[in-house]
Amino acid sequence: MTSQWPFLIPFVSMAAGLTLSSLSGRFCPLSVIAGAFVCLILAALQRDKHIFPVCTAAFFFLWGLYALSPWLIPDPSPASIGKRASDTPLTLEGLVASRPSVSPDGSSVVVRTENIISNNRFESVQGQLMLYVSEGDITVARGDRIRLTTRISVPRRLGLPGEFDFRQYLAFQEVAAVGRVASQGDIVLIRAAAEESWQRSIDLAARRLGDSIRLALKDEKVSSVLAALLIGDQKRIPRELADAYTRAGVNHILSISGFHVGIIAVFITLAALWLFTRSEYLTLRCNVRRLVVLLAVPAMLMYLFLTGNAPATARSVIMLAAFAFALYAERESAPVNTLLLAAFFLIAINPPTLFDISFQLSFLSLWGIVIAVPALTERMSAVTSVCGRSMVQFIAASVAASLATLIPVLFTFKVASLNGILSNFLIVPLLGYGAVLAGFCVLPLLVLLPSCSQILLWPPAKLIELSNWIITGFAALPVIRFHAVTKWDVLFFLLFMTGMTFVSGMKKRLALAAVLPLVALSLHMQPLLPADGKLHVTMLSVGQAEALLLRLPDGKTMLVDGGGYLHDTGRDFGQRILAPALGALGVGRIDWIFSTHDHPDHIGGLAYLTRYFEVGGFWATPAGLSADYSREVRAALAERHIPLHRLAAGDSIPLSGGVALQVLSPGRTDTGHFEKDEMDANEESLVFRLVFGTFSMLFAADAGIAAEHQMLANGLELKSTVLKVGHHGSRFSTSGEFLERVKPEVALISAGAANRFGLPSMQTVQQLAAGNIQLYRTDRDGTIELVSDGVGWSIATPYKVE
């Protein structure tokens, strides 16, 4: 195996070490790696062929355990920008350290900080800051010295199951903190080109080309796609169009990858071959065919840097360069070995590349093609025509790439599309062969002949217009949504791909092809949320919002509110935050959804869940779902034909497993105040008491003191073991009289860390402490899990907050 696939053991071992290090946060000391290296050298001198592979695996595994430490171990220096997080705006100065990224939602750029300025005094700082610009483009470039005023913050985990680790994502970009300004106008250019570099020159060239494309093509849907195809500026594509390409299964065509680089390399090689063969001098004195192959390598490297040096593009360039050198040396190159060489080289020089989703999907799609297409080609002896064989190979490549990325895509994004198997037949020729080549041929002329840009770009623009029109049809086809893909599924999938590639013998491969999927399916057949006769209450840590998941003693599930963003961000809270958390907890069906009131921080994620999860029924107050921002929830209920029930004080619902729900507020009269007064909406919140044996819990939603006084006046039974504190711990709720009647042993508060409202209020916290009431808070403890057997109870906080 070592001689046949020399890069297999180094790549797999190092990838395993990197993964373990990333998950555990533990790193191997350099002294241990040095010892392993000495053992590797000694093993190379031994005659026993089994010792060297073992020592190779050990060395690269230990190297992987160490390699992430420069990125994941925080800078201990007191001058680190990460140590200057503050709610007070600070004025800082630094150098632009990356190519600005511009999208419809705003822009971002990495700043290498140098000084913090206060009262005309300069204090040196170090480390990189990710600067977000809320609106508009960024005109500064790499190497410019800038000054700005911003609040510096360090990203932290919410403590939510299934959450994206944004802090680690930034750490892999060597970013220690984040800041935000409203627009480019808030950035002061101190000195342009304060630090010259070849990267700056390439960035400026890419900007000029992009500006030329956007100036010549006024239709944003056309110019943004062409800029993505030619210079890798994918983030400018309007969100609706990008989503349409994703649903159609051809979003891969918008990312510079091996397909684009390969087409350009072949074009350069053929063009150079045609040009060189026109010269009798060169033809007689050189092996022109071997020479032109090498000419494509520097062109590919230039294109790599022009398009931003993305991991997927780098992988493609390394592989194509390896093939070019093999052709020049007239040596045979195995596709699997070349793929392993590229992957190992990338993670060796930049270990965080392993965790880049574009690298992962690019690697897996090509791995699938490498497995499927050659195997199918060997069995195509019956197909004699070149056209027929090419068509079968194209179909095989399309199917293999789609299936090879299906499980990882579902694991990462919870939605995947197989529509690309069909749409590739039209979109790949239009964009891949047509628009890319037509655009690449005129790319140098855009700067030389700017007045002719519109004419030069007319052919690729028309191809893109046709592609965008076709995409709208394919985007209407159904997609796959599945929230229960686990890390085990990804592991079994990788083992399956490994077996199909490296295990010899058809019988062994067939056995693996049968056993591994069956094992994975058997794990899904086991209920992730078994009925254990206990009541489970999980307060999800969803920031400055609220969502609680309940699992009843018989295994049925109930959701109280769905969190949400306080302001419209253009993002779907249910898709990005809530659904991944529920999927990580094994929830596929929600038997009861209770919406306490229509505020966006409570209802924001319910539309997505209602559309894409199996839902038994939906409950709201008499005035519930009347606000404008609950329109999507109403539409989802209608689409899925899910019954909507109204609840008011005095109602009682026997749920299941011996759990009963008693509604305490609001009254049955629809006050209709939701659009008029935010406080009125809070006072109309759904408040209820859940009873299981001698255990009880009161859910106060966002009810304030007025609603509490009304419940007290009605003489309702309020005494409860647990209190879900009202309105995120606001001082306008949880009055002393109300707390005296409830007499809870423990209180739960959902609040966002360092939120601008100052919740929970110190008054509420002190009041709970004065009553000897245990307090758990999501901003401090992360997701809170409470379990009761109907008599006693216990609380755990298993998800770390950083």
Side-chain angles (χ1 to χ4, degrees):
M1 179 176 288
T2 331
S3 57
Q4 189 176 0
W5 296 295
F7 293 100
L8 176 61
I9 291 178
F11 172 69
V12 172
S13 301
M14 187 170 180
L18 291 171
T19 303
L20 182 59
S21 175
S22 171
L23 294 174
S24 66
R26 298 181 180 277
F27 307 100
C28 179
L30 276 174
S31 57
V32 176
I33 298 175
F37 182 72
V38 172
C39 292
L40 181 63
I41 299 299
L42 294 176
L45 304 176
Q46 300 295 316
R47 293 184 178 180
D48 191 334
K49 296 181 179 180
H50 300 290
I51 297 178
F52 184 73
V54 172
C55 291
T56 301
F59 171 72
F60 284 105
F61 176 74
L62 293 173
W63 182 13
L65 282 176
Y66 165 78
L68 290 177
S69 57
W71 286 268
L72 296 184
I73 296 179
D75 182 359
S77 169
S80 170
I81 190 65
K83 302 288 180 64
R84 301 308 299 265
S86 171
D87 291 333
T88 304
L90 299 174
T91 300
L92 62 87
E93 195 174 277
L95 286 170
V96 176
S98 72
R99 179 183 298 186
S101 173
V102 182
S103 73
D105 299 324
S107 308
S108 63
V109 67
V110 176
V111 178
R112 189 168 75 244
T113 58
E114 295 177 327
N115 298 293
I116 286 180
I117 306 167
S118 178
N119 298 323
N120 293 322
R121 295 178 59 187
F122 286 70
E123 180 184 352
S124 295
V125 290
Q126 62 188 38
Q128 297 196 139
L129 173 93
M130 178 67 77
L131 178 65
Y132 292 98
V133 181
S134 299
E135 295 180 357
D137 205 336
I138 300 180
T139 57
V140 296
R142 191 194 305 260
D144 290 344
R145 177 166 282 111
I146 61 174
R147 183 180 296 175
L148 57 106
T149 300
T150 184
R151 290 182 176 88
I152 299 173
S153 62
V154 176
R156 66 193 300 275
R157 292 176 63 91
L158 291 171
L160 185 69
E163 75 174 297
F164 175 69
D165 193 341
F166 186 59
R167 187 172 185 172
Q168 186 180 89
Y169 168 78
L170 291 178
F172 284 157
Q173 300 178 65
E174 300 182 85
V175 171
V178 298
R180 181 177 292 275
V181 295
S183 67
Q184 165 71 37
D186 297 315
I187 302 174
V188 179
L189 178 62
I190 302 299
R191 182 185 174 189
E195 184 178 272
E196 288 285 2
S197 66
W198 61 270
Q199 292 171 302
R200 173 184 170 84
S201 301
I202 293 176
D203 287 354
L204 291 176
R207 174 181 291 179
R208 285 194 293 270
L209 291 171
D211 289 343
S212 299
I213 292 171
R214 286 182 286 275
L215 187 64
L217 305 175
K218 302 301 182 183
D219 188 345
E220 184 185 15
K221 292 184 176 180
V222 175
S223 63
S224 61
V225 170
L226 185 57
L229 293 173
L230 297 181
I231 58 175
D233 194 0
Q234 185 184 1
K235 292 189 176 181
R236 289 182 185 263
I237 299 175
R239 184 183 300 163
E240 297 79 9
L241 183 60
D243 289 344
Y245 271 86
T246 300
R247 292 195 301 273
V250 288
N251 58 322
H252 63 88
I253 202 72
L254 301 176
S255 302
I256 304 292
S257 63
F259 180 75
H260 304 73
V261 178
I263 289 174
I264 292 171
V266 170
F267 172 77
I268 291 173
T269 301
L270 293 177
L273 181 62
W274 179 87
L275 184 64
F276 283 17
T277 52
R278 305 279 78 78
S279 169
E280 183 179 347
Y281 178 85
L282 291 175
T283 305
L284 292 175
R285 288 166 175 77
C286 305
N287 187 332
V288 174
R289 293 183 179 277
R290 295 175 64 188
L291 181 63
V292 296
V293 169
L294 291 183
L295 287 177
V297 175
M300 287 189 297
L301 287 173
M302 289 186 62
Y303 191 60
L304 168 66
F305 294 116
L306 181 69
T307 56
N309 195 18
T313 315
R315 189 269 308 157
S316 310
V317 170
I318 293 170
M319 290 189 66
L320 289 169
F323 278 120
F325 285 118
L327 287 172
Y328 180 80
E330 297 182 347
R331 297 285 299 273
E332 186 177 349
S333 58
V336 173
N337 273 332
T338 309
L339 181 61
L340 288 171
L341 166 65
F344 175 68
F345 181 78
L346 285 173
I347 68 170
I349 62 174
N350 186 35
T353 299
L354 181 67
F355 306 96
D356 186 283
I357 187 63
S358 66
F359 165 79
Q360 295 171 3
L361 297 182
S362 171
F363 179 83
L364 288 171
S365 61
L366 191 58
W367 190 4
I369 292 171
V370 164
I371 294 174
V373 174
L376 187 62
T377 303
E378 292 177 2
R379 293 165 175 77
M380 283 173 43
S381 55
V383 182
T384 56
S385 69
V386 175
C387 182
R389 292 172 66 88
S390 299
M391 181 62 68
V392 173
Q393 289 175 342
F394 184 87
I395 295 172
S398 181
V399 173
S402 298
L403 294 181
T405 55
L406 179 63
I407 299 299
V409 166
L410 283 174
F411 176 72
T412 304
F413 302 108
K414 316 305 177 188
V415 58
S417 173
L418 294 178
N419 300 328
I421 295 174
L422 297 175
S423 57
N424 277 331
F425 283 97
L426 297 175
I427 304 303
V428 167
L430 282 173
L431 296 188
Y433 300 122
V436 168
L437 275 180
F440 183 77
C441 290
V442 302
L443 204 55
L445 301 177
L446 297 181
V447 178
L448 299 174
L449 303 171
S451 59
C452 301
S453 296
Q454 193 168 2
I455 298 173
L456 293 171
L457 294 176
W458 186 87
K462 291 302 175 183
L463 292 172
I464 291 171
E465 285 180 9
L466 179 58
S467 172
N468 289 348
W469 178 76
I470 294 172
I471 282 297
T472 57
F474 283 106
L477 297 175
V479 297
I480 302 171
R481 294 183 185 272
F482 191 62
H483 298 85
V485 175
T486 66
K487 293 177 181 178
W488 286 107
D489 295 314
V490 176
L491 176 61
F492 282 120
F493 166 74
L494 293 176
L495 290 175
F496 173 83
M497 294 284 286
T498 302
M500 294 302 101
T501 308
F502 302 108
V503 173
S504 59
M506 183 58 68
K507 289 185 178 180
K508 293 180 181 179
R509 290 184 181 181
L510 290 175
L512 285 173
V515 172
L516 290 175
L518 285 176
V519 174
L521 287 173
S522 66
L523 292 177
H524 281 279
M525 294 177 67
Q526 303 297 321
L528 294 177
L529 296 175
D532 61 359
K534 296 179 181 179
L535 173 66
H536 297 254
V537 180
T538 303
M539 176 175 273
L540 298 170
S541 181
V542 289
Q544 188 55 37
E546 193 164 288
L548 294 99
L549 173 70
L550 285 77
R551 177 157 58 93
L552 305 187
D554 61 352
K556 291 186 177 181
T557 54
M558 167 179 164
L559 184 71
V560 182
D561 286 336
Y565 300 112
L566 289 169
H567 305 287
D568 184 14
T569 64
R571 298 180 176 89
D572 192 322
F573 186 91
Q575 181 180 16
R576 292 170 62 90
I577 306 294
L578 191 56
L582 296 179
L585 292 172
V587 176
R589 172 186 169 84
I590 305 172
D591 296 284
W592 298 276
I593 292 182
F594 288 84
S595 173
T596 62
H597 61 299
D598 285 2
H599 281 173
D601 58 326
H602 288 253
I603 203 171
L606 294 184
Y608 183 87
L609 295 188
T610 305
R611 277 197 173 94
Y612 301 116
F613 276 62
E614 189 178 349
V615 176
F618 197 102
W619 278 258
T621 64
L625 303 190
S626 61
D628 184 60
Y629 33 70
S630 63
R631 186 191 309 113
E632 285 296 315
V633 179
R634 295 194 299 268
L637 291 173
E639 291 170 14
R640 297 288 305 278
H641 305 290
I642 296 172
L644 172 61
H645 307 276
R646 302 289 182 177
L647 291 171
D651 290 340
S652 180
I653 302 176
L655 295 172
S656 64
V659 179
L661 183 150
Q662 304 164 354
V663 182
L664 307 176
S665 184
R668 197 163 297 280
T669 304
D670 180 355
T671 59
H673 286 166
F674 285 86
E675 300 295 342
K676 298 179 181 179
D677 192 309
E678 294 295 310
M679 295 305 295
D680 286 338
N682 288 334
E683 301 299 354
E684 295 295 323
S685 293
L686 177 65
V687 181
F688 60 88
R689 183 170 174 264
L690 211 65
V691 180
F692 176 48
T694 60
F695 173 86
S696 56
M697 180 170 177
L698 195 150
F699 294 75
D702 271 5
I705 292 176
E708 293 173 1
H709 285 171
Q710 186 61 51
M711 287 183 276
L712 291 170
N714 291 340
L716 300 170
E717 176 61 48
L718 300 178
K719 189 177 186 308
S720 302
T721 314
V722 180
L723 170 65
K724 198 295 296 178
V725 176
H727 203 188
H728 315 280
S730 166
R731 63 189 177 90
F732 298 108
S733 65
T734 320
S735 64
E737 187 181 0
F738 183 74
L739 202 57
E740 180 62 28
R741 281 280 297 275
V742 178
K743 292 186 180 299
E745 299 174 31
V746 64
L748 310 181
I749 295 178
S750 179
N755 64 83
R756 61 187 178 90
F757 306 103
L759 298 175
S761 74
M762 186 58 64
Q763 176 181 319
T764 302
V765 172
Q766 291 174 349
Q767 192 168 253
L768 292 170
N772 293 319
I773 300 168
Q774 295 185 47
L775 174 60
Y776 290 86
R777 302 160 39 173
T778 57
D779 63 327
R780 187 182 61 192
D781 303 311
T783 293
I784 303 163
E785 295 184 346
L786 182 149
V787 181
S788 173
D789 59 1
V791 181
W793 55 269
S794 63
I795 288 184
T797 55
Y799 302 97
K800 62 181 180 179
V801 178
E802 295 178 349

